[in-house]
Amino acid sequence: MHYELTDEIRVVDGRTLRRTRAVMDLPHQQVRAGDLGGWVEHERNLTGHAWLAGDACVYETACVDGDARVYENAQVYGNAWVSGRAWVSGSARVFGNAELGMHAEVSEDARVFGRAWVSGDAGVGESAWVYGRAGVSEDALVSGNARVFGRAGVGQAAEVFGDALVFGDALVFGDALVFGDALVFGDARVSEGAELRTPGDVFTLDRIGNSSVTATLYRTADGHRLHMDGWTGTLDELADEADRMRQCPAEDHEIQRRWAEYATLETLGRARVAGWT
């Protein structure tokens, strides 16, 4: 164990927490033996070589019987809380700023790991995951079964900030930026250069025709991208695909049906893109 519990007590959400103090140097955390750390409810809340600093708290909640954990090389500091059954691991960072009234929180069944970070007044809750090199900051909220992640090792990272909301089963990844008042929800898939700042910058159509395919059209810095069933491209590329299908034998009813659906999707997509200019 790299820390001990002091006799200093703090009550948060009706839970009694105790301050930690390092008993050994943690060079990678810039911590020396004797440094006071953050607050935990139980020793199991902080393990590995992870560290809490400042007013950071890790605890379980009255309404969620949990096993909140900060472990491996993770760090939680400033005015940040990890609660419920949430886990922060890897080299992840969660931090708030008490002086500015900012309170970052990871709660419920959420997971933050890899080199991901959560800051400001941002929240990650329910069963959401933030990982890779991704970041969530300012007043943004990621919840539901949403996934926000970057491309670890490549230097590109998804980032959600401002008052943006990502929820449902949405995926935000690659080098996507979601900010302002943007909303990403449902089965939306957003990646590759996305720059979303308003609710209208992403358009999702679920269960196209008789299939279970979800199409997501989203704004980018230089135009738009369309993600659909593993395929990503522009509306021009979709039109080419629809034209190819249209030329298939008429008796191939499945291909003909999909051509009609793609043509309709192209029309809807162009109407949305026209509103962006």
Side-chain angles (χ1 to χ4, degrees), residues 116 130-135 148-159 172-176:
V130 178
Y131 58 102
R133 295 178 181 268
V148 179
F149 54 100
R151 299 175 179 173
V154 181
Q156 295 175 304
E159 187 170 351
V172 177
F173 57 101
D175 57 354

Side-chain angles (χ1 to χ4, degrees), residues 184-242:
V184 183
F185 59 96
D187 291 316
R189 304 290 183 266
V190 175
S191 66
E192 298 192 33
E195 288 194 7
L196 313 181
R197 69 186 70 192
T198 72
D201 288 347
V202 58
F203 172 62
T204 304
L205 186 62
D206 293 325
R207 297 181 177 84
I208 299 172
N210 295 323
S211 68
S212 60
V213 173
T214 296
T216 306
L217 177 71
Y218 55 87
R219 192 169 189 166
T220 65
D222 57 359
H224 69 272
R225 300 291 288 176
L226 176 69
H227 181 94
M228 180 173 60
D229 195 26
W231 180 88
T232 301
T234 65
L235 289 170
D236 286 341
E237 291 168 334
L238 178 68
D240 291 341
E241 182 68 11

Side-chain angles (χ1 to χ4, degrees), residues 115-153:
R115 296 186 180 181
W117 50 271
V118 179
S119 69
D121 270 327
V124 181
E126 296 184 346
S127 298
W129 289 9
V130 178
Y131 58 102
R133 295 178 181 268
V136 181
S137 62
E138 297 178 15
D139 294 308
L141 175 64
V142 181
S143 63
N145 293 310
R147 303 290 185 263
V148 179
F149 54 100
R151 299 175 179 173

Side-chain angles (χ1 to χ4, degrees), residues 7 15 44 62 181 245 260 262:
D7 293 330
R15 316 295 281 195
R44 63 175 176 268
D181 295 317
M245 290 181 172
Y262 284 11

Side-chain angles (χ1 to χ4, degrees), residues 165-189:
L165 299 177
V166 179
F167 57 99
D169 293 310
L171 298 182
V172 177
F173 57 101
D175 57 354
L177 296 178
V178 182
F179 58 103
D181 295 317
L183 299 177
V184 183
F185 59 96
D187 291 316
R189 304 290 183 266

Side-chain angles (χ1 to χ4, degrees), residues 47-72:
T47 61
H49 289 92
W51 187 246
L52 308 177
D55 290 320
C57 299
V58 183
Y59 62 98
E60 295 154 22
T61 61
C63 59
V64 179
D65 290 333
D67 189 16
R69 294 186 187 180
V70 178
Y71 61 104
E72 295 179 341

Side-chain angles (χ1 to χ4, degrees), residues 252-274:
D252 194 334
H253 300 298
E254 175 63 20
I255 293 295
Q256 291 296 316
R257 179 185 63 78
R258 295 198 71 179
W259 163 74
E261 292 171 359
Y262 284 11
T264 300
L265 178 59
E266 179 201 350
T267 300
L268 292 172
R270 291 195 188 281
R272 176 55 64 94
V273 170

